[in-house]
Amino acid sequence: VVDADRLDRNLERWQAYCDRVDLRSRPHVKTHKCVEIARRQVQLGAAGLTCQKLGEAETMVDAGFDDVLVPYNIVGAAKLERLAQLLERATIAVSVDDASLLPGLDRAASRSGRQLRVLVDCDTGLGRTGVARPDDAGALATEIVRHESLHFGGFVTYPALPAAREFLGAAAAGAERAGLEVDVVSAGGTPAMWSAGELRPVVGEYRVGTYAFHDRATVAAGAATLDEVAMTVAATVVSRPGDRRAVLDAGSKSLTSDLAPSPGHGVILEAPSSTIVRLNEEHAYVELADGESLELGQQVRVVPNHACTVSNLFDEFVVVRDGDVVDRWRVDARGRSR
Ligand SMILES: Cc1ncc(COP(=O)(O)O)c(C=O)c1O
């Protein structure tokens, strides 16, 4: 269930913040995978979209969006072919953290007859992908420009941990010393979104995904309050097998098994101190807190631990305003994880 007013407020508030601190916003569609919501983000002023997978990018380009960053190593002939086809239809940028990927990207771009923007993926603390030192980032940037169909697009990192600013500043300075122009330095992440302005002027672009809906994790991080959460999972109490035990019809195939900082698999808004202690595929086991009760047949709303993985499990969002269903939006890129 998506609360349209809360969604709009979340989108508007973030765009207003970006305008105030002079950051370009490039929202990440992985959270909603929904063309209708992406349209709202761009209408409000987003500079383009971020997609994590080519499948998401294909969905968004099919829908008419023409500026997409895929901050991901594109590996293997099949993906490079899809990248070439995408590039024929839209302005696409990708990231790399390894020079050995550049010849494949170059051939794909050359096949499409267009230049491909390539950003250097920097590991500024997460320990996921990305080059580990600013010098390596600069060296990879100089490799990119040796390829005829590749354009060095700048640097990208996730998330924006405090060390990011120094790392990215050093990488950008190194690239400039080598005579390269740095188009953009892009950071991201909802937990730290309200301090993104402190990354200026090194960082010029910021990518947020979860901010559209928020969830239990971003509320725990202090990026939002529970009453700003715009997406919940509607569930029904299907069993009351004991005084302190209730069972909901939303299991791991609805709430996912992703965890949040505090225990449990989501917050039941009608019984917020109670805990979803365990999930099966189609059942949530609720331990009721003192003073809280749930009735057999009662419909409840659950704030999930992680909104992005929940969207991917449903075909559509049921859109409500003031408690009434006003629309249904397809989750267009659900399952498009290739
Ligand atoms: C590369 C990249 N950019 C941006 C984001 C957006 O993060 P968030 O949903 O916290 O806003 C993510 C999230 O995983 C990411 O991997």
Side-chain angles (χ1 to χ4, degrees), residues 28 30-31 50 52 71 128 158 188-191 207-211 308:
H28 207 312
K30 79 192 171 77
T31 300
T50 310
Q52 204 72 350
R128 188 168 70 178
Y158 172 82
T190 295
R207 312 173 313 276
V208 272
T210 314
Y211 86 113
C308 315

Side-chain angles (χ1 to χ4, degrees), residues 34-308:
C34 172
V35 166
E36 173 64 35
I37 298 177
R39 227 171 246 139
R40 284 163 191 246
Q41 291 170 316
V42 169
Q43 267 162 13
L44 282 170
L49 299 177
T50 310
C51 294
Q52 204 72 350
K53 288 299 190 80
L54 289 175
E56 289 172 346
E58 286 160 350
T59 300
M60 293 299 149
V61 169
D62 286 349
F65 295 96
D66 62 0
D67 184 345
V68 178
L69 166 66
V70 183
Y72 212 88
N73 280 346
I74 306 298
V75 177
K79 292 221 173 86
L80 289 168
E81 179 52 36
R82 285 165 63 203
L83 176 64
Q85 286 173 16
L86 263 181
L87 199 51
E88 283 171 18
R89 302 195 284 143
T91 301
I92 305 289
V94 299
S95 67
V96 286
D97 65 1
D98 197 306
S100 68
L101 300 176
L102 297 174
L105 293 175
D106 190 43
R107 281 192 297 275
S110 150
R111 256 200 317 283
S112 77
R114 292 181 67 167
Q115 285 255 310
L116 173 66
R117 282 180 59 220
V118 181
L119 286 77
V120 174
D121 180 13
C122 300
D123 176 11
T124 56
L126 180 63
R128 188 168 70 178
T129 56
V131 296
R133 294 182 330 195
D135 285 354
D136 297 338
L140 189 47
T142 57
E143 287 294 321
I144 292 170
V145 297
R146 295 210 175 101
H147 295 79
E148 205 173 313
S149 297
L150 302 184
H151 173 84
F152 168 59
F155 299 98
V156 61
T157 195
Y158 172 82
L161 298 168
R165 195 186 143 113
E166 199 185 326
F167 185 119
L168 295 167
E176 273 157 12
R177 271 197 310 277
L180 303 178
E181 208 170 301
V182 180
D183 293 346
V184 72
V185 177
S186 179
T190 295
M193 64 192 282
W194 300 118
S195 49
E198 292 162 23
L199 300 169
R200 294 279 302 141
V202 172
V203 168
E205 176 180 280
Y206 203 83
R207 312 173 313 276
V208 272
T210 314
Y211 86 113
F213 292 152
H214 287 293
D215 55 23
R216 204 159 163 238
T218 63
V219 168
T225 58
L226 209 51
D227 56 15
E228 289 169 318
V229 171
M231 187 194 73
T232 51
V233 175
T236 301
V237 181
V238 289
S239 179
R240 282 298 320 268
D243 275 358
R244 309 295 295 262
R245 168 68 51 89
V247 177
L248 309 180
D249 65 349
S252 58
K253 283 182 174 168
S254 307
L255 296 172
T256 80
S257 306
D258 282 11
L259 299 174
S262 36
H265 296 278
V267 180
I268 304 167
L269 293 175
E270 293 75 5
S273 300
S274 300
T275 309
I276 300 175
V277 288
R278 193 151 62 91
L279 298 175
N280 288 152
E281 287 174 57
E282 310 296 2
H283 299 80
Y285 297 67
V286 182
E287 245 170 49
L288 290 165
D290 284 344
E292 292 189 342
S293 181
L294 293 172
E295 303 301 317
L296 185 61
Q298 183 179 351
Q299 194 179 77
V300 296
R301 301 269 289 276
V302 183
V303 173
N305 283 348
H306 186 186
C308 315

